[in-house]
Amino acid sequence: AQSVTQLGSHVSVSEGALVLLRCNYSSSVPPYLFWYVQYPNQGLQLLLKYTSAATLVKGINGFEAEFKKSETSFHLTKPSAHMSDAAEYFCAVSEGFNQAGTALIFGKGTTLSVSS
Amino acid sequence: EAQVTQNPRYLITVTGKKLTVTCSQNMNHEYMSWYRQDPGLGLRQIYYSMNVEVTDKGDVPEGYKVSRKEKRNFPLILESPSPNQTSLYFCASRGGRVGEQYFGPGTRLTVT
């Protein structure tokens, strides 16, 4: 069964500092992996996705994530945090379209706070 | 503009009063699903639909019903809401094989 673990429910950084949000997954087949962002009072917006092509994936707003099969990880990074990055971030895994259910399994989320 | 819409965005109701939250997508997606989001629990899938007239339970289906009579619409029905269904609900649709889903803006439901 698939699962996602996000380490740290809350991460605080200073503006301009490195952002690192951790995600580990469990999947019985090669996974598709996603990071979503949720700004206050809004729905979820896709930041980036891994679909078995390049292991380093670049997304919107300067974020990127690296798929490491040996570590079963898909950590999200951004070199320099901006105040507008303050939001909740969700890592999710899917085993692909043809699997029964093919649900997105979400982690519990990490709230990112950015201070000036 | 490609989007998933939900109505209403906010709803306060009382225990036992039937309600429906509508969801519509304009991307011709076959797959649609409903999630609920609760603090500390992330998003959990309630029901999903692979296509018209094809629906199935997700992880937390108790107390909910869905229907898929048209490709674009996927309403969520609470026949007899209870306070433990107070939550933030998201509808989503998916196109293609990868699994990327597009989310609606959410419906905040309070059951008193």
Side-chain angles (χ1 to χ4, degrees):
Chain A
Q2 307 164 83
S3 66
V4 174
T5 301
Q6 290 183 240
L7 298 174
S9 59
H10 201 125
V11 171
S12 297
V13 300
S14 299
E15 193 171 22
L18 171 71
V19 175
L20 171 61
L21 305 182
R22 300 177 187 274
C23 173
N24 289 88
Y25 70 92
S26 171
S27 177
S28 58
V29 299
Y32 298 140
L33 294 158
F34 309 85
W35 276 99
Y36 283 85
V37 61
Q38 184 180 29
Y39 299 104
N41 299 315
Q42 294 188 27
L44 278 74
Q45 178 183 3
L46 181 69
L47 269 180
L48 49 80
K49 61 185 177 185
Y50 166 76
T51 60
S52 73
T55 57
L56 182 62
V57 181
K58 294 188 184 299
I60 62 173
N61 301 338
F63 284 93
E64 62 182 36
E66 185 173 8
F67 172 69
K68 292 187 176 180
K69 184 178 179 180
S70 61
E71 299 177 7
T72 60
S73 68
F74 190 57
H75 302 332
L76 181 71
T77 61
K78 182 174 181 178
S80 177
H82 192 273
M83 297 292 285
S84 61
D85 294 327
E88 189 161 20
Y89 292 80
F90 292 94
C91 182
V93 63
S94 169
E95 289 184 344
F97 184 82
N98 287 327
Q99 301 300 318
T102 57
L104 270 183
I105 306 300
F106 285 87
K108 294 183 179 181
T110 297
T111 299
L112 175 66
S113 300
V114 182
S115 58
S116 57
Chain B
E1 179 189 355
Q3 60 182 349
V4 178
T5 57
Q6 296 178 226
N7 282 291
R9 294 288 313 277
Y10 301 90
L11 179 60
I12 301 173
T13 190
V14 295
T15 299
K17 185 177 182 181
K18 180 180 179 179
L19 66 92
T20 299
V21 183
T22 64
C23 173
S24 183
Q25 51 94 4
N26 62 2
M27 295 169 278
N28 202 35
H29 288 166
E30 292 183 347
Y31 182 98
M32 297 183 73
S33 61
W34 277 102
Y35 295 85
R36 61 178 289 172
Q37 182 182 15
D38 301 289
L41 297 178
L43 280 85
R44 294 176 293 168
Q45 192 181 50
I46 303 170
Y47 268 94
Y48 65 94
S49 170
M50 299 287 281
N51 212 327
V52 175
E53 302 292 2
V54 181
T55 63
D56 208 346
K57 297 176 181 179
D59 295 323
V60 288
E62 293 77 21
Y64 305 95
K65 285 176 55 178
V66 293
S67 69
R68 188 89 181 275
K69 292 183 170 54
E70 305 166 279
K71 198 172 187 179
R72 63 182 291 126
N73 296 324
F74 190 44
L76 179 69
I77 303 156
L78 284 71
E79 294 268 3
S80 182
S82 62
N84 65 11
Q85 293 178 297
T86 293
S87 187
L88 180 58
Y89 291 87
F90 289 102
C91 180
S93 72
R94 185 190 72 206
R97 303 176 64 86
V98 170
E100 170 186 342
Q101 295 192 20
Y102 298 86
F103 285 81
T107 295
R108 186 168 293 282
L109 172 65
T110 301
V111 183
T112 61

